[in-house]
Each structure stands twice: as structure tokens, then as C-alpha cells.
Amino acid sequence: MRWLSTMFLLFCSLALSITIAVSIRPLELIVKHILPEGHSVVCIMDEGANPHLYQLKTSDLRILNEADVIVLVGLEEWAKKVVDMFTDKTMVFADDIFEKDFEQNEHLWLDPVNVLLFSHKLMLKFSQIEPASFEKFEANWQDFSKRLLEKLWLWYEKMRHLKGKTIVEVHPALTLFAERFGIGQIFGLETGHEQGLTTKKLSELTNLVRKGIVKHILIDEHVEGSAALNLAKQFDLEPIFVDLMGWEANDYFDLMDSIVQKVSSIAEIAK
């Protein structure tokens, strides 16, 4: 009889466990804040993959097929294909109220307010899939949102002295981040879609350097390589390496703390 009870409890625990498949690391970090212990999240893209260019593999499709919920940003080349294949269980960050921001810049996870809103949507979706865990999902989201709101004020204070500063990025990922924290212009050299550096961009950068407006360049340490370093050397710019995808972060707060710390250091370089 005890054996039957144990098997029943094991069956129930398995039935209550859901798997979330996400496309990129930042989504994994966000989802983990909402999921209670016993649930799992699987990230499709490995460290160093360019999210704009990554192509799905057969093994990825297997993961997507087996997942209870699929979460995408919308910048993936195959996002529409996945939505068409798995309509009922796919969530896209770029949909609904986030469309306008996404049209401006695809890196929605770098605006904490967008993340706050989207995390609530995630919580509701997970609760639909597993209603028995609703209270746990909700409690985790409340804890996450409270911590995020507290952090927002601290991050804003650290960014305050960057108002009006021009920030040069190899790949312009921080546009929404800059707007949220009142930073000046984000000057991106490339698009991230392997279109390369144009003569016009080089000319504009030369002008900024000559006027002493910029003395730094932000480089995504897990995507951009020697070409970015060569460019920094050519223009005598101080390279600042930033982990925009959160590969070294334990959670979303680690990711944002790291970016805020790196970006805020620009003010000292710009003096």
C-alpha cells in the first residue's frame, strides 16, 4: 500500500512539472525568476551565438516540440515559423504592447520596465498551463517585481551622470536601456545582421572622436571579437566589454547590475 502511495505522489509531481523553452539566455534568466522548484527552462542558443543569425537545428525543434511553453523575443529569423508550428503554446515578447519598442530596437530585455510587464504575462501563461501551481507562480512574480522596482531606482541614480553623453556600441543593443535611464545618444556602428561597417558610419565616428565627444566603445564580449578590438585601437577608443546576453549572470539582476556598472564607468572615461 505504501508503495502505491509513493508511486502516486511521484506521478503527481511529474504531472505538475512543466518545461519552458526559450530562445536566448536573457529570457532564461527572466523565466527562472517565475518558475518554482521542480519546473525547468531550456535555452536554445548556446554561448557566443548571434541571436539575429542563429538557425534552428533538428535537436532544437525536438526541444520546442516537447516544451509546454515556448518563449521568444521576436528578433529570431525563425520566430514566425515557430509561432505557426506551435501557435497555442508560443509567447513572443515583441507582441502586443511591446510592438512599438520592438520596432525601435529589438533588445527588449534591456529595458527593465518591459521585463516587469512581460514577466507578469509569463506568470499568467504558466498558470494556465499548470493551474495547481498558480500561487507559487504568483508569489515568485511578486517577489521578482518588488526587487525589480527597488533596483530600478538604484540603477537610475547610477546612470544619472550620463545624461547627454554619447555612447558608442559596435552593435546598438542599448537604445531602449538608454531611453529608460535618460542617457544620451546611442551610436551603433553595425546592425548585428552582418551588414558590416559603412563608410558613412566611419565618417560619423571619426567626427565624434575628433571633437572629443567619445573616448570609449562598448563591445559585447561574447559575440564581437578581434574586429571590434582593432576598430577600438584604430580610433584610440577605450574598449568596455559588456555581457549583454547574461552568460556570466546568475539571474536577471546580475545581468542588469553588470551592464549598469560597465556603462556608468563611461562617465569617468569621458572626462
Side-chain angles (χ1 to χ4, degrees):
M1 194 72 177
R2 184 177 297 174
W3 178 81
L4 288 174
S5 298
T6 302
M7 291 300 294
F8 176 75
L9 290 174
L10 178 61
F11 174 79
C12 289
S13 65
L14 290 174
L16 293 174
S17 177
I18 64 174
T19 299
I20 314 300
V22 302
S23 57
I24 61 173
R25 173 70 170 170
L27 291 177
E28 178 183 4
L29 296 175
I30 296 166
V31 166
K32 282 183 174 179
H33 283 285
I34 312 301
L35 288 182
E37 186 177 348
H39 300 70
S40 59
V41 55
V42 181
C43 185
I44 294 295
M45 297 186 204
D46 295 325
E47 183 174 345
N50 187 324
H52 300 280
L53 304 173
Y54 184 87
Q55 296 299 317
L56 284 178
K57 304 187 294 288
T58 302
S59 57
D60 297 331
L61 289 171
R62 191 178 304 117
I63 291 172
L64 295 174
N65 185 58
E66 295 174 355
D68 297 289
V69 180
I70 300 168
V71 185
L72 309 177
V73 177
L75 56 76
E76 307 85 355
E77 288 190 356
W78 35 268
K80 187 178 185 305
K81 175 182 177 181
V82 171
V83 170
D84 290 341
M85 291 176 64
F86 307 104
T87 304
D88 294 336
K89 66 177 185 178
T90 301
M91 298 180 62
V92 182
F93 200 159
D95 288 349
D96 304 323
I97 63 172
F98 306 104
E99 288 181 4
K100 185 176 180 179
D101 279 352
F102 184 75
E103 289 174 1
Q104 183 179 1
N105 191 273
E106 298 175 338
H107 304 80
L108 291 169
W109 68 90
L110 294 175
D111 179 353
V113 174
N114 279 342
V115 170
L116 177 65
L117 296 173
F118 187 62
S119 66
H120 186 261
K121 192 175 180 181
L122 289 172
M123 182 270 290
L124 295 177
K125 181 66 174 180
F126 299 164
S127 299
Q128 290 175 358
I129 300 298
E130 185 42 67
S133 298
F134 169 73
E135 290 185 0
K136 293 181 179 178
F137 292 137
E138 185 178 44
N140 285 353
W141 178 78
Q142 288 177 347
D143 178 67
F144 175 63
S145 60
K146 180 181 178 181
R147 291 177 62 195
L148 189 54
L149 287 170
E150 291 171 350
K151 280 283 192 178
L152 264 171
W153 297 111
L154 296 175
W155 292 331
Y156 186 82
E157 284 302 312
K158 289 184 178 181
M159 296 289 100
R160 185 184 295 276
H161 55 289
L162 285 171
K163 187 173 183 179
K165 301 289 185 183
T166 297
I167 297 176
V168 175
E169 283 190 273
V170 175
H171 172 51
L174 291 170
T175 300
L176 298 176
F177 174 93
E179 286 195 356
R180 178 58 58 197
F181 295 110
I183 300 173
Q185 176 191 4
I186 295 292
F187 182 81
L189 297 174
E190 300 178 1
T191 65
H193 300 274
E194 290 192 341
Q195 293 181 1
L197 186 60
T198 65
T199 303
K200 180 181 178 182
K201 283 288 185 180
L202 278 174
S203 176
E204 291 174 350
L205 178 59
T206 300
N207 191 43
L208 290 172
V209 171
R210 187 175 63 249
K211 291 180 178 180
I213 294 175
V214 297
K215 299 179 181 180
H216 63 274
I217 182 169
L218 286 176
I219 299 174
D220 188 338
E221 59 186 305
H222 294 287
V223 176
E224 296 147 357
S226 58
L229 283 174
N230 290 335
L231 188 65
K233 185 176 181 180
Q234 176 185 347
F235 285 90
D236 193 26
L237 296 172
E238 179 76 20
I240 298 178
F241 297 96
V242 59
D243 180 21
L244 295 173
M245 298 297 289
W247 288 111
E248 299 171 11
N250 294 316
D251 58 26
Y252 182 72
F253 301 110
D254 277 353
L255 166 62
M256 292 301 296
D257 279 336
S258 173
I259 294 172
V260 167
Q261 188 275 323
K262 292 293 182 71
V263 174
S264 63
S265 70
I266 289 173
E268 293 301 314
I269 299 170
K271 286 181 179 179

